[in-house]
Amino acid sequence: MAETRLIQGRYRLLELLGRGGMGEVWQARDESLGRRVAVKCLKPAGPHRQGHPLSTAIQERFRREARVAALLQHRGVTVVHDFGEDEGVLYLVMELLQGRNLSQLLEAGGHRPLPVEEIIDIAEQVAAALAYTHDQGVVHRDLKPANIMRLGDGTVKILDFGIARLAHDIGFTSRLTGAAGMAMGTPHYMSPEQISGGGGIDHRSDLYSLGCVLYELATGVPPFDMDDAWAILVGHRDTPPEPLRTHRPEIPEPLERVVLDLLAKAPEDRPADAGDLSTRLRGSRAAAEAAGPGRGNGSASDGAGRGTRTGEDGESGEHGRQHGKESGEAGLPPWAAGMTRGARSVRATRTTPLGRPEDALLRTWPPTNGTAPAPATAAPTWPERGTGHGIAVHGTSAPAPGGTPGPALSYGPAGGAPGAPHAGHHPFSHAPPSFHTPPHSTHPPHPYAPPTSPPDRPAAPQHVLDAFAGRHDAAVSLARLGRWEEAAAAHRALAAERAAALGGDHPDTLASRHQTGLCLARLGRTAEALEEFRTAAAGRERRLGREHVDTLAVRQETAYALGQLGRHAEALEVYGGVLADRERTMGYEHPDTLRCRHNLAYTLSRLGRYEESYRVASEVTAVRTRVLGGDHPDTLVTRYEVGHALGSLGHWEQALATYREVATARAATLGRDHPDTQAARYEAGICLGRLGRHEEALGHYEALIADRTQTLGTRHPETLRARHIRCVTLGRLGRWHEALTEAREVTAVRERVLGPEHPDTLAGRREIAVALGWLSRWPEALTVHREVARARERTLGASHSETLSSRHDEAHCLEQMGRTAEAAEVYRLAASRRASG
């Protein structure tokens, strides 16, 4: 591929995804963080247009888009990573998505309507996203099928808040629109108030546009689908839309009513807001389900998809076009004179390294050095996950290796697992790594880097480099599919071949080693991953320098792996060095600097340095709140860490308030059932228990168990952990018979799912013994405590704190049974092992 532009010295433009009148969208590689992104660039105005009102307004709109979009953090809204200006080019960096927009979906199906169930699912997800954005004071103003993306997993996202505006700042946008003479919106989906050009545009305009989208999904064409823009605008302003069931009788009446109400000419006649719409959509779903599988899934009637609509007054499309032109002086704004209908849909595919065609993200919009290349076939648009930076972050938001969600069980001291740090503890949780293709030797080196080819080794032939790059991409694809074993083996083999051909310290060789480590970490093979990270870090320090972004990334992975292995003092030392280098080269408020400081706070807490952990986490929270907003996921994960530190310091009321705030914010942005939301709810329950509010804690856990059972299932470890702590809470309330029954049920499932000697299984068996003891069934309790002690000794070692705690449980039982001499011997043995350990 020909060399393309490097935006801001960071974003390497790789492949053109789409072009519009004002700019282009490219697939790009973030050279600093090693991830694929979408970069939207505004075309330079050119010398003859500089200072022109249109040029100025477009630039102002673009900057506004960036600021507004960066505020939005919701699963139904495209994530914006960065924006700025480079040599006169305004650019916006967004997540790269895998899927198709609704326009592409319709085009691929020959504009046949979608199944009713799918229409309702899309509508519910868009309504949820609009409810969030409208609550933030943001109105999209250009909602249309091309701006709604359906990902491969069924998730729906709203794209391109390019002409959104903050509701409290209507005057600015109105002035901008008037000065430029631009139409904001697309004719097929514009609300009557947008067409009239008045100042009364609010969130209900988006609801009208959504109604147009749903009408098209249900019938195959928009509600007013003439060839002339004037006729379309007049239709929106003056003509009632035809009922959906006229063209597709199987549409449930409640769904038809919802869509027609959305298309009401007067905003006050539409649903009050997106929340109201969501409620009505649930009724439509129930009606569709009641209709049975034979209804609502067929093709549209013959009238759908023809591109001509007949209004109630009998006007055909041709008559409407004439009427529209004659009505130009009767209320249509001057800017509409030059409007065209616009393209209906665009679609492109390509083959991935694994040979699979993947639908690509196509959007309008950064030029190369001089001239833009011809449109290229879109590349696979892998979704970014987790932090998206290949940098480990301690928190609660990502699955642990092997796919188990990160938040682990926190046990209180009474009847809980011995040796737990405190009730607010949460474990290391690794954000899924960003697998990416590294820059290979055809690319210009990073400013920190020495010449690309080592002086003692000739450059490899281009076809060899290309073959290596293809294999690297294939291994990356395996990882993205969750095939970690195969990906690790592929990266490891490629690292060996790259070392032989290019040298052990070549950037590509080191990138393969880094990727090998990431795969091994996901497989739980942390010690092996650590060796790969250390080798890659040492090589990058020699080759690229200690402060190169790639070196810093793998050094931070090294620290994370050390923490996972329980070597927290070593991890703290590495984090301290990385943090100093990041602050010096990137600045205090750079996202990667803040991630490192977050991890530092977590590691301090693992070392029992809670005051320092609280201080660092509070500082990071303050910066993230100011820069990203209080409800941003990164801000919330650090506030979660603040709650952890507060609990460790015994400030349980403050910890409870913090966890509740985090849970509420996560529920609003991620959903009530998201694992991160449930993790914060779990910790809030721990705080209630530590405050002695056991009845309240019990009800809290029962609600959490119900939610986890519904979303994760009865056998999921997180469901079982919630049931375990409910068992502990029952004991604290003195309801020991119920506690014993619950502990036996949970332990039996854990033995089948996790294994008989898994730490969670052993914690459950200990809870059985505790309940037996409180019921004065000491011989049975002794038997179980001894079994747990022997199992922990086998798996953890004789001197481990949890093994020793089990020995103390055993001695306590012996004392209760009057066998004091045996109890004394067990205590003595535990003391000697603690001293030797």
Side-chain angles (χ1 to χ4, degrees), residues 125-439:
Q125 293 193 56
V126 174
L130 289 178
Y132 165 77
T133 57
H134 293 165
D135 283 345
Q136 309 307 306
V138 177
V139 181
H140 191 286
R141 290 172 63 102
D142 193 23
L143 202 64
K144 57 187 177 183
N147 280 339
I148 301 173
M149 173 74 78
R150 191 162 179 84
L151 306 186
D153 64 358
T155 300
V156 175
K157 282 180 176 278
I158 301 177
L159 312 175
D160 196 1
F161 279 79
I163 57 175
R165 56 136 169 95
L166 294 176
H168 62 74
D169 196 11
I170 297 172
F172 174 84
T173 302
S174 299
R175 291 194 300 273
L176 186 154
T177 306
M182 292 179 294
M184 284 194 170
T186 304
H188 282 108
Y189 312 99
M190 290 181 70
S191 66
E193 56 267 32
Q194 284 179 292
I195 295 167
S196 298
I201 299 172
D202 60 17
H203 64 280
R204 292 170 295 184
S205 178
D206 282 348
L207 298 184
Y208 183 93
S209 298
L210 177 56
C212 295
V213 172
L214 298 179
Y215 193 107
E216 185 170 1
L217 297 181
T219 67
V221 291
F224 306 103
D225 190 41
M226 286 70 80
D227 292 330
D228 184 89
W230 286 91
I232 295 171
L233 296 176
V234 169
H236 285 300
R237 191 192 64 180
D238 299 333
T239 307
E242 284 192 347
L244 286 71
R245 288 154 62 89
T246 301
H247 303 281
R248 191 175 172 191
E250 68 270 21
I251 293 287
E253 192 279 332
L255 177 59
E256 179 185 63
R257 177 47 48 198
V258 168
V259 174
L260 293 178
D261 285 352
L262 288 171
L263 294 175
K265 305 300 182 186
E268 58 269 20
D269 293 333
R270 299 170 202 154
D273 52 36
D276 179 31
L277 173 61
S278 295
T279 301
R280 296 188 59 182
L281 285 168
R282 285 194 289 272
S284 299
R285 177 179 291 279
E289 291 172 352
R295 294 184 58 83
N297 292 320
S299 300
S301 64
D302 292 340
R306 288 180 175 174
T308 302
R309 284 291 181 217
T310 302
E312 290 183 356
D313 56 1
E315 292 179 344
S316 68
E318 182 61 33
H319 189 126
R321 285 193 290 274
Q322 295 297 326
H323 176 73
K325 290 189 176 181
E326 292 166 3
S327 304
E329 300 299 322
L332 292 181
W335 52 254
M339 288 191 84
T340 60
R341 296 172 71 250
R344 288 282 298 274
S345 62
V346 187
R347 186 171 183 256
T349 59
R350 69 164 287 175
T351 301
T352 70
L354 291 179
R356 297 185 177 92
E358 298 290 343
D359 293 298
L361 166 64
L362 292 180
R363 300 177 63 185
T364 56
W365 305 67
T368 60
N369 297 327
T371 61
T377 305
T381 53
W382 300 108
E384 293 293 334
R385 298 187 53 163
T387 63
H389 303 297
I391 297 170
V393 177
H394 302 320
T396 63
S397 57
T404 301
L409 177 62
S410 300
Y411 300 100
H422 66 91
H425 165 68
H426 64 84
F428 281 93
S429 178
H430 200 305
S434 173
F435 294 94
H436 61 281
T437 304

Side-chain angles (χ1 to χ4, degrees), residues 68 102 231 300 371 383 443 481 497-498 719 752:
V68 171
L102 300 187
T371 61
H443 298 156
L481 293 170
E497 293 185 42
R498 278 177 162 170
T719 305
R752 293 193 298 271

